[in-house]
Amino acid sequence: MNTLRALEEELFEPAVRRNITRLSEVLADGFREFGSSGRVFSKAQIMSELQHELERRISLSEFRVKAISKDAVLVTYRATRVQEGLADVHSLRSSIWMKREGRWEIVFHQGTVVP
């Protein structure tokens, strides 16, 4: 559980979000994201989008992990995005992580904005 939380939090870091090599390691080849914006992203699309993202801080709370199978888990949490000059954005997040060849890869992520 601590490893998965650390991986989710790592993906919040601006330096990691712009690091193509690290993103390639963590995002599975078939990765899909349903963004809080309503857009759908592939691995290549999200990696490209993150290169141009404005600086922001993201924190998480209410972190939970539920096993789906021997090598797959569902992670859920509440995120808060803070960006200078804008109102904070709160969202519910879910990710599916799979353990492949001894390391975790994220295969799916969804964010839903909440009040």
Side-chain angles (χ1 to χ4, degrees):
M1 184 162 147
N2 289 337
T3 298
L4 293 165
R5 182 179 179 124
L7 285 166
E8 288 281 354
E9 289 177 329
E10 179 184 4
L11 289 170
F12 294 162
E13 295 298 322
V16 173
R17 294 170 82 81
R18 291 187 183 103
N19 184 327
I20 296 294
T21 302
R22 182 60 181 144
L23 288 173
S24 291
E25 294 169 353
V26 178
L27 302 180
D29 286 340
F31 175 80
R32 298 278 287 177
E33 177 172 332
F34 294 167
S36 58
S37 64
R39 294 174 54 200
V40 179
F41 300 95
S42 67
K43 179 178 180 174
Q45 290 168 323
I46 198 67
M47 288 172 59
S48 176
E49 287 284 322
L50 292 176
Q51 300 311 299
H52 310 289
E53 183 179 62
L54 297 175
E55 193 77 21
R56 59 179 79 178
R57 286 185 301 115
I58 305 170
S59 62
L60 66 81
S61 61
E62 301 175 33
F63 187 83
R64 291 182 176 78
V65 177
K66 171 93 173 142
I68 304 173
S69 71
K70 183 180 132 225
D71 295 320
V73 296
L74 170 66
V75 168
T76 59
Y77 56 93
R78 181 177 291 270
T80 302
R81 183 178 72 209
V82 178
Q83 192 168 345
E84 189 174 327
L86 298 174
D88 293 356
V89 177
H90 303 277
S91 59
L92 297 177
R93 303 283 177 143
S94 61
S95 302
I96 296 176
W97 289 86
M98 295 195 67
K99 197 166 204 176
R100 296 181 174 148
E101 299 179 11
R103 65 182 183 86
W104 289 103
E105 292 181 328
I106 188 170
V107 297
F108 176 79
H109 182 76
Q110 179 171 356
T112 303
V113 175
V114 294

